[in-house]
Amino acid sequence: MFNKILIANRGEIALRIIRTCKEMGIKTVAVYSTADEESLHVRFADEAVCIGAPSGKDSYLSIPRIISAAEITNADAIHPGYGFLAENAEFSKVCEEYNIKFIGASEDMINRMGDKATAKSTMKKAGVPIVPGSDGLIESVKEGKKIAKKAGYPVLLKATSGGGGKGMRIVKDEEGFQKAWDDARTEAMNSFGDDRMYLEKYVEEPRHVEIQIVGDNKGHACHLSERDCSIQRRHQKLIEETPSPVVTQELREKMGQAAIKGAEAIGYEGAGTVEFLVDKNGDFYFMEMNTRIQVEHPITEEVTDYDLIKEQIKVAAGDPISGRNYYPQKFAIECRINAEDPGKDFRPCPGKITQLHLPGGHGVRVDSHVYAGYTIPPYYDSMIAKVIVSAQTREEAIIKMKRALGEMVIEGVRTTIPFHLRLMDNEVFKSGNFTTAFMDTFDLEGL
Ligand code: MV4
């Protein structure tokens, strides 16, 4: 087992990782920027190293600075959390070169799953269902139109380096193809420096359902069932839940086995997430694979009673997985509390938290790094807390979330708490019968 882990991240996820390390008897090293001197991850870790200026590129994204911090503190592993360098192939490679275990995917795995067209054809070969469309990249408008005609309009043009919906365009008919192609490629080039595209039939109003998996270095993988992340705004998840209201035990089994098949086909090691779209008929299609721990991992932990960070550390150290799959024994919901004004287009609201009360009680978990008097810096993402509830039924979980959010106090900055409170009373949300288009019509007036 590792002696000392450096956490190459900040905020709630840095604390989350430190907590499990403490329980495992592993020493921790925090790294921090000058904007985070007062952050809890700095205080909770056994050691802390300042790695530079606030801007990500000068600190949490700087490979040489993080490697130096690991070298001077004698850390034998690095946990990257999510975001920043978590899916950076170069960082994974450099860690390996310096004999520091990267608790995440290998360089090769990150490259293979990061290129979406490659990931898709890899999964197709493994027998995972995919959306019909181009077999790999399309080289010209002429070729694209031919494939679109065969698949049937509407289709979706996607950048192979894409993510977060960037470099993606819906094409309604052949007339609109050229413009969508030009727009998607320009956006992809500006965002990723890569304008290579592929094409899929457009699945209308799907659900976003992802399967949590864990693989070990013996070639085995298991799944921990699904998370439903259909409620998003501009490709930012707002709330996640498990089990999904649309996933039956039969579908869970099918999606779980597909995810395992995909993971085992590539020899996947560590924790990962296989994202699927589920259409109105309950058919599912591979979208992407994330090679990191995700923000929403706690809902899976709560319903399966499984510490995903502990498992990441154990498989990174060479331990085998238990060899069984895990199914939800409860219902869990996570609300992401962001320092944003939901009444003003979710505009970020950094600043000082003057008063704070976090909720508690049975079935309530709060993952957060904030405290009364803490100043939210403007440089990083605006998530300041995750409120996770679990209960015996979905209805009880919703009631518990309302209760928890109702006792939560954050003063000094605007937050998304009022949005979540309104969501908990929304009839469509309560019915469980919604799609990724839910937020297009949700009323944000007066929040
Ligand atoms: C799709 C789709 C419909 N049909 N692919 C959005 C970002 C990337 N992860 C994939 N995305 C989508 N791919 C086909 N063939 C609809 C989306 C999509 C979406 C997916 C999940 C959650 C929210 C979404 C919001 C808009 C579009």
Short mmCIF file of all heavy atoms in Angstrom, two decimals, residues 116 120 131-132 154-156 158 162-166 168 170 198-209 229-237 275-277 285-288 290 435-437 440, ligand 1:
data_model
loop_
_atom_site.label_atom_id
_atom_site.label_comp_id
_atom_site.label_asym_id
_atom_site.label_seq_id
_atom_site.Cartn_x
_atom_site.Cartn_y
_atom_site.Cartn_z
N LYS A 116 -13.15 10.71 -29.09
CA LYS A 116 -14.51 10.13 -29.02
C LYS A 116 -14.80 9.14 -30.14
O LYS A 116 -15.49 8.14 -29.93
CB LYS A 116 -15.56 11.22 -29.01
CG LYS A 116 -15.33 12.35 -28.01
CD LYS A 116 -15.36 11.88 -26.57
CE LYS A 116 -15.14 13.03 -25.60
NZ LYS A 116 -14.34 12.77 -24.45
N LYS A 120 -15.64 5.27 -29.49
CA LYS A 120 -16.87 4.67 -30.02
C LYS A 120 -16.57 3.40 -30.81
O LYS A 120 -17.23 2.38 -30.60
CB LYS A 120 -17.58 5.72 -30.90
CG LYS A 120 -18.98 5.31 -31.28
CD LYS A 120 -19.66 6.38 -32.13
CE LYS A 120 -20.96 5.81 -32.68
NZ LYS A 120 -21.63 6.74 -33.61
N VAL A 131 -24.78 4.51 -31.16
CA VAL A 131 -25.75 5.18 -32.03
C VAL A 131 -25.29 4.99 -33.48
O VAL A 131 -24.11 5.20 -33.79
CB VAL A 131 -25.83 6.69 -31.72
CG1 VAL A 131 -26.95 7.35 -32.52
CG2 VAL A 131 -26.03 6.93 -30.23
N PRO A 132 -26.21 4.61 -34.39
CA PRO A 132 -25.82 4.46 -35.79
C PRO A 132 -25.30 5.77 -36.37
O PRO A 132 -25.74 6.85 -35.96
CB PRO A 132 -27.11 4.04 -36.51
CG PRO A 132 -28.15 3.87 -35.47
CD PRO A 132 -27.63 4.32 -34.16
N PRO A 154 -33.05 13.89 -38.22
CA PRO A 154 -31.88 14.72 -37.91
C PRO A 154 -30.66 13.91 -37.48
O PRO A 154 -30.81 12.82 -36.92
CB PRO A 154 -32.38 15.60 -36.77
CG PRO A 154 -33.45 14.78 -36.10
CD PRO A 154 -34.08 13.97 -37.18
N VAL A 155 -29.48 14.50 -37.74
CA VAL A 155 -28.23 13.87 -37.29
C VAL A 155 -27.46 14.87 -36.44
O VAL A 155 -27.81 16.06 -36.40
CB VAL A 155 -27.35 13.40 -38.48
CG1 VAL A 155 -28.05 12.32 -39.27
CG2 VAL A 155 -26.93 14.57 -39.35
N LEU A 156 -26.43 14.36 -35.77
CA LEU A 156 -25.62 15.21 -34.91
C LEU A 156 -24.17 15.11 -35.38
O LEU A 156 -23.63 14.01 -35.50
CB LEU A 156 -25.75 14.70 -33.47
CG LEU A 156 -25.42 15.62 -32.31
CD1 LEU A 156 -26.12 16.97 -32.40
CD2 LEU A 156 -25.77 14.94 -30.99
N LYS A 158 -20.41 15.68 -34.42
CA LYS A 158 -19.67 15.78 -33.16
C LYS A 158 -18.17 15.86 -33.41
O LYS A 158 -17.63 15.11 -34.23
CB LYS A 158 -19.94 14.54 -32.29
CG LYS A 158 -21.35 14.43 -31.75
CD LYS A 158 -21.46 13.22 -30.84
CE LYS A 158 -22.83 13.20 -30.16
NZ LYS A 158 -22.95 12.07 -29.22
N GLY A 162 -14.20 16.47 -28.75
CA GLY A 162 -15.23 17.24 -28.03
C GLY A 162 -15.47 16.79 -26.61
O GLY A 162 -14.87 15.85 -26.10
N GLY A 163 -16.39 17.49 -26.02
CA GLY A 163 -16.75 17.28 -24.62
C GLY A 163 -17.50 18.51 -24.19
O GLY A 163 -17.26 19.60 -24.73
N GLY A 164 -18.42 18.33 -23.27
CA GLY A 164 -19.18 19.48 -22.81
C GLY A 164 -20.01 20.14 -23.88
O GLY A 164 -20.37 21.30 -23.77
N GLY A 165 -20.34 19.36 -24.93
CA GLY A 165 -21.23 19.87 -25.98
C GLY A 165 -20.57 20.80 -26.97
O GLY A 165 -21.20 21.26 -27.92
N LYS A 166 -19.29 21.08 -26.78
CA LYS A 166 -18.60 21.97 -27.72
C LYS A 166 -18.26 21.23 -29.02
O LYS A 166 -17.91 20.06 -28.99
CB LYS A 166 -17.31 22.51 -27.11
CG LYS A 166 -17.51 23.65 -26.14
CD LYS A 166 -16.52 24.81 -26.42
CE LYS A 166 -16.76 25.99 -25.51
NZ LYS A 166 -16.20 25.75 -24.16
N MET A 168 -20.38 20.59 -31.40
CA MET A 168 -21.48 19.67 -31.69
C MET A 168 -22.60 20.47 -32.36
O MET A 168 -22.94 21.55 -31.90
CB MET A 168 -21.95 19.11 -30.34
CG MET A 168 -22.63 17.78 -30.40
SD MET A 168 -22.87 17.12 -28.74
CE MET A 168 -24.38 17.89 -28.29
N ILE A 170 -26.58 20.01 -34.39
CA ILE A 170 -27.68 19.22 -34.94
C ILE A 170 -27.88 19.62 -36.40
O ILE A 170 -27.84 20.81 -36.72
CB ILE A 170 -29.00 19.48 -34.16
CG1 ILE A 170 -28.83 19.14 -32.67
CG2 ILE A 170 -30.15 18.68 -34.77
CD1 ILE A 170 -29.98 19.60 -31.80
N TYR A 198 -17.16 13.39 -36.43
CA TYR A 198 -17.91 12.18 -36.78
C TYR A 198 -19.39 12.50 -36.68
O TYR A 198 -19.76 13.62 -36.29
CB TYR A 198 -17.50 10.98 -35.92
CG TYR A 198 -17.81 11.07 -34.45
CD1 TYR A 198 -18.84 10.34 -33.89
CD2 TYR A 198 -17.04 11.87 -33.60
CE1 TYR A 198 -19.12 10.40 -32.52
CE2 TYR A 198 -17.32 11.93 -32.24
CZ TYR A 198 -18.35 11.20 -31.71
OH TYR A 198 -18.63 11.27 -30.37
N LEU A 199 -20.21 11.58 -37.05
CA LEU A 199 -21.64 11.86 -37.18
C LEU A 199 -22.47 10.73 -36.60
O LEU A 199 -22.12 9.55 -36.70
CB LEU A 199 -21.92 12.06 -38.68
CG LEU A 199 -23.32 12.35 -39.22
CD1 LEU A 199 -23.20 13.08 -40.54
CD2 LEU A 199 -24.12 11.08 -39.40
N GLU A 200 -23.58 11.12 -35.95
CA GLU A 200 -24.51 10.13 -35.40
C GLU A 200 -25.94 10.53 -35.71
O GLU A 200 -26.24 11.71 -35.82
CB GLU A 200 -24.38 10.09 -33.86
CG GLU A 200 -23.15 9.44 -33.35
CD GLU A 200 -23.07 9.42 -31.83
OE1 GLU A 200 -23.87 10.10 -31.17
OE2 GLU A 200 -22.20 8.70 -31.33
N LYS A 201 -26.81 9.54 -35.74
CA LYS A 201 -28.22 9.87 -35.75
C LYS A 201 -28.54 10.60 -34.45
O LYS A 201 -27.99 10.28 -33.40
CB LYS A 201 -29.06 8.59 -35.86
CG LYS A 201 -30.55 8.88 -35.90
CD LYS A 201 -31.36 7.80 -36.59
CE LYS A 201 -32.84 8.21 -36.63
NZ LYS A 201 -33.08 9.42 -37.45
N TYR A 202 -29.42 11.64 -34.55
CA TYR A 202 -29.76 12.42 -33.36
C TYR A 202 -30.83 11.70 -32.56
O TYR A 202 -31.91 11.41 -33.07
CB TYR A 202 -30.24 13.81 -33.79
CG TYR A 202 -30.59 14.73 -32.63
CD1 TYR A 202 -29.64 15.05 -31.66
CD2 TYR A 202 -31.86 15.28 -32.52
CE1 TYR A 202 -29.95 15.89 -30.61
CE2 TYR A 202 -32.19 16.14 -31.47
CZ TYR A 202 -31.23 16.44 -30.52
OH TYR A 202 -31.53 17.28 -29.48
N VAL A 203 -30.52 11.39 -31.30
CA VAL A 203 -31.50 10.75 -30.41
C VAL A 203 -32.27 11.87 -29.72
O VAL A 203 -31.69 12.66 -28.97
CB VAL A 203 -30.78 9.86 -29.36
CG1 VAL A 203 -31.80 9.19 -28.44
CG2 VAL A 203 -29.90 8.82 -30.03
N GLU A 204 -33.57 11.97 -29.98
CA GLU A 204 -34.34 13.10 -29.45
C GLU A 204 -34.77 12.86 -28.00
O GLU A 204 -35.24 11.79 -27.67
CB GLU A 204 -35.52 13.39 -30.36
CG GLU A 204 -35.00 13.88 -31.71
CD GLU A 204 -36.04 14.45 -32.64
OE1 GLU A 204 -36.71 15.42 -32.25
OE2 GLU A 204 -36.18 13.90 -33.75
N GLU A 205 -34.58 13.91 -27.20
CA GLU A 205 -34.96 13.90 -25.79
C GLU A 205 -34.60 12.60 -25.05
O GLU A 205 -35.47 11.90 -24.53
CB GLU A 205 -36.46 14.23 -25.64
CG GLU A 205 -36.78 15.58 -26.28
CD GLU A 205 -37.84 16.36 -25.51
OE1 GLU A 205 -38.36 15.86 -24.50
OE2 GLU A 205 -38.12 17.49 -25.92
N PRO A 206 -33.31 12.31 -24.99
CA PRO A 206 -32.88 11.08 -24.29
C PRO A 206 -32.73 11.34 -22.78
O PRO A 206 -32.89 12.47 -22.32
CB PRO A 206 -31.52 10.81 -24.90
CG PRO A 206 -30.97 12.17 -25.20
CD PRO A 206 -32.17 13.04 -25.54
N ARG A 207 -32.40 10.31 -22.04
CA ARG A 207 -31.95 10.43 -20.66
C ARG A 207 -30.44 10.20 -20.66
O ARG A 207 -29.92 9.42 -21.47
CB ARG A 207 -32.58 9.34 -19.76
CG ARG A 207 -34.06 9.24 -19.77
CD ARG A 207 -34.75 10.03 -18.74
NE ARG A 207 -34.39 9.83 -17.35
CZ ARG A 207 -35.27 10.04 -16.35
NH1 ARG A 207 -36.54 10.37 -16.59
NH2 ARG A 207 -34.89 9.92 -15.10
N HIS A 208 -29.74 10.88 -19.77
CA HIS A 208 -28.32 10.63 -19.57
C HIS A 208 -28.20 9.66 -18.39
O HIS A 208 -28.50 10.03 -17.26
CB HIS A 208 -27.59 11.95 -19.27
CG HIS A 208 -26.16 11.78 -18.82
ND1 HIS A 208 -25.10 12.44 -19.41
CD2 HIS A 208 -25.61 11.04 -17.83
CE1 HIS A 208 -23.98 12.11 -18.80
NE2 HIS A 208 -24.26 11.25 -17.84
N VAL A 209 -27.77 8.43 -18.68
CA VAL A 209 -27.61 7.42 -17.63
C VAL A 209 -26.19 6.88 -17.72
O VAL A 209 -25.76 6.45 -18.79
CB VAL A 209 -28.64 6.28 -17.77
CG1 VAL A 209 -28.45 5.24 -16.67
CG2 VAL A 209 -30.07 6.82 -17.75
N CYS A 229 -28.26 11.48 -14.77
CA CYS A 229 -27.78 12.87 -14.76
C CYS A 229 -28.47 13.66 -15.85
O CYS A 229 -27.86 14.50 -16.53
CB CYS A 229 -26.27 12.92 -14.97
SG CYS A 229 -25.34 11.80 -13.92
N SER A 230 -29.75 13.39 -16.07
CA SER A 230 -30.48 14.01 -17.18
C SER A 230 -30.71 15.50 -16.99
O SER A 230 -30.88 16.23 -17.96
CB SER A 230 -31.82 13.31 -17.39
OG SER A 230 -31.61 11.95 -17.73
N ILE A 231 -30.76 15.96 -15.73
CA ILE A 231 -31.06 17.37 -15.51
C ILE A 231 -29.77 18.18 -15.52
O ILE A 231 -28.99 18.19 -14.56
CB ILE A 231 -31.88 17.57 -14.21
CG1 ILE A 231 -33.20 16.80 -14.36
CG2 ILE A 231 -32.12 19.06 -13.94
CD1 ILE A 231 -34.19 16.98 -13.24
N GLN A 232 -29.53 18.80 -16.67
CA GLN A 232 -28.32 19.56 -16.91
C GLN A 232 -28.70 20.89 -17.53
O GLN A 232 -29.77 21.04 -18.09
CB GLN A 232 -27.41 18.84 -17.92
CG GLN A 232 -27.11 17.40 -17.58
CD GLN A 232 -25.94 16.85 -18.37
OE1 GLN A 232 -25.37 17.51 -19.22
NE2 GLN A 232 -25.58 15.60 -18.07
N ARG A 233 -27.79 21.85 -17.41
CA ARG A 233 -27.98 23.14 -18.06
C ARG A 233 -26.68 23.50 -18.75
O ARG A 233 -25.64 23.57 -18.11
CB ARG A 233 -28.34 24.20 -17.04
CG ARG A 233 -28.70 25.51 -17.64
CD ARG A 233 -29.02 26.54 -16.54
NE ARG A 233 -28.99 27.85 -17.14
CZ ARG A 233 -27.88 28.56 -17.34
NH1 ARG A 233 -26.72 28.09 -16.95
NH2 ARG A 233 -27.95 29.72 -17.91
N ARG A 234 -26.74 23.70 -20.04
CA ARG A 234 -25.53 23.97 -20.85
C ARG A 234 -24.43 22.97 -20.53
O ARG A 234 -23.27 23.33 -20.28
CB ARG A 234 -25.05 25.41 -20.62
CG ARG A 234 -26.13 26.40 -21.04
CD ARG A 234 -25.65 27.81 -21.13
NE ARG A 234 -26.76 28.69 -21.44
CZ ARG A 234 -26.83 29.98 -21.13
NH1 ARG A 234 -25.83 30.56 -20.51
NH2 ARG A 234 -27.88 30.71 -21.45
N HIS A 235 -24.83 21.71 -20.48
CA HIS A 235 -23.91 20.59 -20.25
C HIS A 235 -23.28 20.61 -18.86
O HIS A 235 -22.30 19.90 -18.62
CB HIS A 235 -22.85 20.50 -21.35
CG HIS A 235 -23.49 20.37 -22.72
ND1 HIS A 235 -24.11 19.23 -23.13
CD2 HIS A 235 -23.67 21.26 -23.72
CE1 HIS A 235 -24.62 19.42 -24.33
NE2 HIS A 235 -24.37 20.64 -24.72
N GLN A 236 -23.84 21.39 -17.95
CA GLN A 236 -23.42 21.33 -16.55
C GLN A 236 -24.49 20.58 -15.78
O GLN A 236 -25.66 20.95 -15.81
CB GLN A 236 -23.30 22.74 -15.96
CG GLN A 236 -22.16 23.56 -16.55
CD GLN A 236 -20.79 23.01 -16.22
OE1 GLN A 236 -20.53 22.59 -15.10
NE2 GLN A 236 -19.91 22.99 -17.22
N LYS A 237 -24.08 19.52 -15.08
CA LYS A 237 -25.05 18.77 -14.28
C LYS A 237 -25.47 19.61 -13.07
O LYS A 237 -24.63 20.28 -12.46
CB LYS A 237 -24.44 17.45 -13.81
CG LYS A 237 -24.19 16.49 -14.98
CD LYS A 237 -23.34 15.31 -14.59
CE LYS A 237 -23.01 14.50 -15.84
NZ LYS A 237 -21.89 13.57 -15.62
N GLU A 275 -20.81 6.42 -20.04
CA GLU A 275 -22.01 7.24 -20.25
C GLU A 275 -22.86 6.67 -21.38
O GLU A 275 -22.33 6.39 -22.46
CB GLU A 275 -21.62 8.65 -20.68
CG GLU A 275 -21.18 9.56 -19.61
CD GLU A 275 -20.89 10.97 -20.17
OE1 GLU A 275 -21.40 11.33 -21.25
OE2 GLU A 275 -20.12 11.67 -19.53
N PHE A 276 -24.14 6.57 -21.11
CA PHE A 276 -25.06 6.13 -22.16
C PHE A 276 -26.19 7.14 -22.35
O PHE A 276 -26.55 7.86 -21.41
CB PHE A 276 -25.71 4.79 -21.76
CG PHE A 276 -24.76 3.63 -21.68
CD1 PHE A 276 -24.27 3.19 -20.44
CD2 PHE A 276 -24.36 2.95 -22.83
CE1 PHE A 276 -23.41 2.10 -20.35
CE2 PHE A 276 -23.50 1.85 -22.75
CZ PHE A 276 -23.02 1.43 -21.51
N LEU A 277 -26.77 7.15 -23.53
CA LEU A 277 -28.06 7.78 -23.74
C LEU A 277 -29.10 6.67 -23.71
O LEU A 277 -28.87 5.59 -24.25
CB LEU A 277 -28.13 8.48 -25.10
CG LEU A 277 -27.27 9.72 -25.31
CD1 LEU A 277 -27.53 10.30 -26.70
CD2 LEU A 277 -27.52 10.75 -24.24
N TYR A 285 -27.34 3.56 -25.70
CA TYR A 285 -26.23 3.72 -26.62
C TYR A 285 -25.04 4.32 -25.90
O TYR A 285 -25.19 5.28 -25.16
CB TYR A 285 -26.63 4.66 -27.76
CG TYR A 285 -27.94 4.33 -28.41
CD1 TYR A 285 -29.12 4.97 -27.99
CD2 TYR A 285 -28.02 3.37 -29.42
CE1 TYR A 285 -30.34 4.66 -28.57
CE2 TYR A 285 -29.23 3.07 -30.00
CZ TYR A 285 -30.39 3.71 -29.58
OH TYR A 285 -31.59 3.40 -30.15
N PHE A 286 -23.86 3.78 -26.18
CA PHE A 286 -22.62 4.32 -25.62
C PHE A 286 -22.39 5.75 -26.10
O PHE A 286 -22.53 6.03 -27.29
CB PHE A 286 -21.43 3.45 -26.04
CG PHE A 286 -20.09 4.04 -25.69
CD1 PHE A 286 -19.58 3.94 -24.40
CD2 PHE A 286 -19.34 4.71 -26.65
CE1 PHE A 286 -18.35 4.49 -24.07
CE2 PHE A 286 -18.10 5.27 -26.32
CZ PHE A 286 -17.61 5.16 -25.03
N MET A 287 -22.00 6.64 -25.19
CA MET A 287 -21.65 8.02 -25.56
C MET A 287 -20.17 8.26 -25.39
O MET A 287 -19.44 8.57 -26.30
CB MET A 287 -22.39 9.02 -24.64
CG MET A 287 -23.82 9.29 -24.97
SD MET A 287 -23.95 10.28 -26.48
CE MET A 287 -24.44 8.97 -27.57
N GLU A 288 -19.73 8.16 -24.10
CA GLU A 288 -18.35 8.47 -23.77
C GLU A 288 -17.94 7.65 -22.56
O GLU A 288 -18.80 7.18 -21.82
CB GLU A 288 -18.22 9.96 -23.36
CG GLU A 288 -18.43 10.92 -24.49
CD GLU A 288 -18.44 12.38 -24.05
OE1 GLU A 288 -17.95 12.66 -22.93
OE2 GLU A 288 -18.92 13.20 -24.82
N ASN A 290 -15.59 8.18 -19.13
CA ASN A 290 -14.78 9.09 -18.31
C ASN A 290 -13.81 8.27 -17.48
O ASN A 290 -14.21 7.35 -16.79
CB ASN A 290 -15.67 9.90 -17.37
CG ASN A 290 -16.69 10.71 -18.14
OD1 ASN A 290 -16.37 11.34 -19.14
ND2 ASN A 290 -17.93 10.67 -17.72
N THR A 435 -36.43 14.42 -19.34
CA THR A 435 -35.34 14.10 -20.27
C THR A 435 -34.27 15.19 -20.15
O THR A 435 -34.40 16.13 -19.35
CB THR A 435 -35.83 14.06 -21.73
OG1 THR A 435 -36.11 15.41 -22.15
CG2 THR A 435 -37.06 13.19 -21.90
N THR A 436 -33.25 15.09 -20.99
CA THR A 436 -32.17 16.09 -20.99
C THR A 436 -32.69 17.47 -21.41
O THR A 436 -31.97 18.46 -21.26
CB THR A 436 -31.01 15.68 -21.92
OG1 THR A 436 -31.56 15.40 -23.20
CG2 THR A 436 -30.30 14.45 -21.40
N ALA A 437 -33.92 17.54 -21.94
CA ALA A 437 -34.50 18.83 -22.33
C ALA A 437 -35.22 19.51 -21.17
O ALA A 437 -35.76 20.61 -21.33
CB ALA A 437 -35.47 18.62 -23.49
N ASP A 440 -34.84 23.29 -20.45
CA ASP A 440 -35.23 24.22 -21.52
C ASP A 440 -36.52 24.94 -21.16
O ASP A 440 -36.76 26.06 -21.61
CB ASP A 440 -35.43 23.48 -22.86
CG ASP A 440 -34.15 22.83 -23.35
OD1 ASP A 440 -33.08 23.11 -22.75
OD2 ASP A 440 -34.20 22.04 -24.32
C1 MV4 B 1 -26.15 13.06 -28.31
C2 MV4 B 1 -27.47 13.53 -28.14
C3 MV4 B 1 -28.44 13.03 -28.98
N1 MV4 B 1 -28.13 12.13 -29.93
N2 MV4 B 1 -25.88 12.17 -29.27
C4 MV4 B 1 -24.04 16.08 -25.22
C5 MV4 B 1 -22.58 16.14 -24.83
C6 MV4 B 1 -22.02 14.77 -25.09
N3 MV4 B 1 -21.67 14.15 -23.87
C7 MV4 B 1 -23.08 14.02 -25.83
N4 MV4 B 1 -24.26 14.83 -25.88
C8 MV4 B 1 -25.36 14.42 -26.57
N5 MV4 B 1 -25.15 13.49 -27.54
C9 MV4 B 1 -26.85 11.73 -30.07
N6 MV4 B 1 -26.57 10.86 -31.03
C10 MV4 B 1 -27.72 14.46 -27.12
C11 MV4 B 1 -26.66 14.92 -26.34
C12 MV4 B 1 -27.03 15.91 -25.35
C13 MV4 B 1 -26.99 15.61 -23.98
C14 MV4 B 1 -26.56 14.38 -23.51
C15 MV4 B 1 -26.52 14.12 -22.18
C16 MV4 B 1 -26.95 15.08 -21.27
C17 MV4 B 1 -27.38 16.31 -21.70
C18 MV4 B 1 -27.41 16.60 -23.07
C19 MV4 B 1 -27.85 17.84 -23.48
C20 MV4 B 1 -27.87 18.11 -24.81
C21 MV4 B 1 -27.46 17.18 -25.75
#
